[in-house]
Amino acid sequence: MAAFVKSVNKKLACKDLLAYVKTLTPSVLEGLYNHPASCLAIFRELPDFAKHYVMRILFVEQVMVKQNVVATWIEKDYANEHLDAIKALTGLHIVHEHMQYCGLPAWKLNESFKKSLQIALMGGGNGANSLEMLPPDKYAKDIAFLDSYAQERWECILHYIVQSKEGSGGISREVTEILLHSGLVSKDGVNSDTFITAAGFQFLLLDISSQIWYFMIRYLETVESRGMNIVECLTFMFQLSFLTLGKDYSSDKMSDNQQRFLQHLREFGLVYQRKRKCQRFYPTRLAINLTSSTPKDIALETHKQGFIMVETNYRVYAYTDFQIWLLQALLEKVSALHLLRGSQLTRLSTS
């Protein structure tokens, strides 16, 4: 397998949740803030000082709080943390600056965010409780199956990126379009063959959680061009992060837009659905951990011991049962035995 590298000096930018949400338009943010699950997901990722400020004024009937009053809530030694918190809250349009009748500047909490977060913290809203639990599934799947399914689906995408013939046959046109849009692969202008780019190599160095988040951001950039509603997609994605691994949920009352989004998530390995028309789905570990910077469970990938031996004739042997994607992209496979992969580094494989 020959891997081609496109020379790109730009470093792969992988935004976190808050950095991505800040790029959304005010109208999209206002739509998100009408949903408790979205507000709770964003709230839990705020800096600690920002969370503190929100909680101090969340249940206060007073509409505005003077800025000089907020400044007294922290000691002078934490001035930088205070500024970071205010920057995060204003950048997300969670608080707005207003002038009081006395001429003093004050902060006002976004009304939609305030009401939705109150509902979420009191156990209501469109979180996990809004997705109907179903009778026992006669085809019930356990956590081990869901982990295996999610890893298999995601590895299909990685196989396609490195142009491996192993397991990349189940890639749809939508996934190919997202990979091209994200710049992880590119097409040869002569015969339209895809090849990995420099950004693709950087992508392979990320942990699996960062890979999925980066991929989903690039996917979300395309949903409106597909005729889908970005607010509904994001809201459902936030809902997934509050579901329970190993439990099934109903998709019967979902809108057409959400049903379409669900099918895409199914292909990415974020949800399991036995059949396309089946009215129940299982969230996988990838979906539950997607929007959280502190995953609830251990990621799919584990640190497995292995050995790599490089000979002076540019033969490379990897003794491991773990997929080494960079080696697959840079080397030509020579042999593959149980736990042992033999490859060759050639001029063509790195050109």
Side-chain angles (χ1 to χ4, degrees):
M1 183 274 296
F4 299 86
V5 182
K6 183 178 179 181
S7 297
V8 178
N9 295 324
K10 187 176 180 181
K11 186 178 180 181
L12 189 69
C14 190
K15 300 176 182 177
D16 58 21
L17 173 63
L18 296 186
Y20 168 70
V21 174
K22 286 180 182 178
T23 66
L24 301 175
T25 63
S27 61
V28 172
L29 282 176
E30 193 62 26
L32 281 179
Y33 292 162
N34 285 318
H35 299 275
S38 301
C39 294
L40 186 57
I42 293 171
F43 172 77
R44 68 182 181 183
E45 296 303 310
L46 289 172
D48 289 340
F49 276 70
K51 291 178 185 175
H52 175 69
Y53 295 161
V54 170
M55 291 304 299
R56 287 282 295 258
I57 61 179
L58 184 63
F59 293 96
V60 175
E61 294 183 2
Q62 184 177 344
V63 177
M64 292 183 283
V65 180
K66 295 177 182 178
Q67 293 185 16
N68 58 2
V69 172
V70 175
T72 64
W73 294 347
I74 53 103
E75 297 179 3
K76 293 181 180 180
D77 294 340
Y78 297 98
N80 290 334
E81 287 81 355
H82 168 73
L83 293 176
D84 290 341
I86 296 299
K87 184 178 179 180
L89 292 172
T90 55
L92 294 165
H93 297 269
I94 293 176
V95 298
H96 303 282
E97 186 175 22
H98 289 267
M99 296 299 293
Q100 289 189 318
Y101 65 90
C102 58
L104 293 176
W107 296 118
K108 181 180 179 182
L109 196 60
N110 182 298
E111 281 298 323
S112 299
F113 185 90
K114 180 178 181 178
K115 292 178 181 178
S116 294
L117 187 59
Q118 286 176 345
I119 293 171
L121 292 178
M122 291 188 291
N126 55 356
N129 294 334
S130 68
L131 291 173
E132 180 184 352
M133 294 292 289
L134 297 169
D137 183 6
K138 65 177 180 180
Y139 302 105
K141 304 300 180 185
D142 58 16
I143 293 176
F145 174 87
L146 295 174
D147 283 347
S148 176
Y149 167 81
Q151 187 157 357
E152 179 184 342
R153 292 306 309 158
W154 186 246
E155 287 185 352
C156 281
I157 296 176
L158 298 182
H159 276 299
Y160 182 84
I161 292 175
V162 300
Q163 291 299 288
S164 169
K165 295 180 180 178
E166 302 176 9
S168 61
I171 294 299
S172 70
R173 179 176 57 83
E174 285 79 9
V175 172
T176 303
E177 290 175 351
I178 297 165
L179 293 175
L180 288 169
H181 169 74
S182 64
L184 301 179
V185 298
S186 187
K187 279 194 174 183
D188 186 347
V190 178
N191 50 23
S192 296
D193 290 337
T194 57
F195 59 88
I196 188 171
T197 64
F201 276 102
Q202 295 178 52
F203 180 79
L204 296 177
L205 291 171
L206 299 175
D207 60 83
I208 191 169
S209 297
S210 298
Q211 285 179 345
I212 300 226
W213 176 243
Y214 180 85
F215 182 85
M216 285 302 299
I217 288 179
R218 298 307 178 198
Y219 164 76
L220 290 169
E221 291 173 349
T222 69
V223 296
E224 291 184 320
S225 64
R226 300 171 188 271
M228 300 169 67
N229 186 300
I230 182 68
V231 173
E232 282 195 12
C233 292
L234 283 170
T235 301
F236 182 59
M237 190 175 76
F238 288 134
Q239 278 184 275
L240 288 175
S241 66
F242 296 104
L243 301 186
T244 302
L245 184 64
K247 293 187 179 295
D248 56 330
Y249 298 86
S250 172
S251 61
D252 184 36
K253 297 180 181 179
M254 289 184 181
S255 66
D256 292 341
N257 183 82
Q258 289 176 321
Q259 290 282 2
R260 188 178 173 190
F261 184 55
L262 181 68
Q263 294 308 313
H264 290 163
L265 296 182
R266 177 191 181 202
E267 183 170 355
F268 306 155
L270 273 66
V271 300
Y272 170 79
Q273 195 176 25
R274 192 172 65 88
K275 293 181 179 180
R276 181 178 290 268
K277 294 184 178 180
C278 182
Q279 294 183 346
R280 70 173 76 216
F281 69 92
Y282 293 80
T284 70
R285 198 182 302 271
L286 300 182
I288 292 174
N289 288 337
L290 182 61
T291 61
S292 175
S293 59
T294 54
K296 306 179 187 69
D297 300 291
I298 299 173
L300 292 183
E301 62 181 4
T302 55
H303 295 286
K304 299 182 180 181
Q305 187 175 12
F307 304 91
I308 296 178
M309 180 175 65
V310 183
E311 296 181 340
T312 55
N313 61 359
Y314 300 105
R315 283 288 183 99
V316 180
Y317 298 95
Y319 184 76
T320 178
D321 61 343
F322 191 58
Q323 293 284 358
I324 305 178
W325 302 104
L326 279 177
L327 291 185
Q328 291 193 40
L330 287 170
L331 306 174
E332 291 185 3
K333 188 174 72 173
V334 175
S335 60
L337 303 174
H338 179 59
L339 300 181
L340 180 64
R341 303 168 189 271
S343 305
Q344 179 78 43
L345 181 66
T346 66
R347 184 187 302 275
L348 183 61
S349 69
T350 57
S351 61

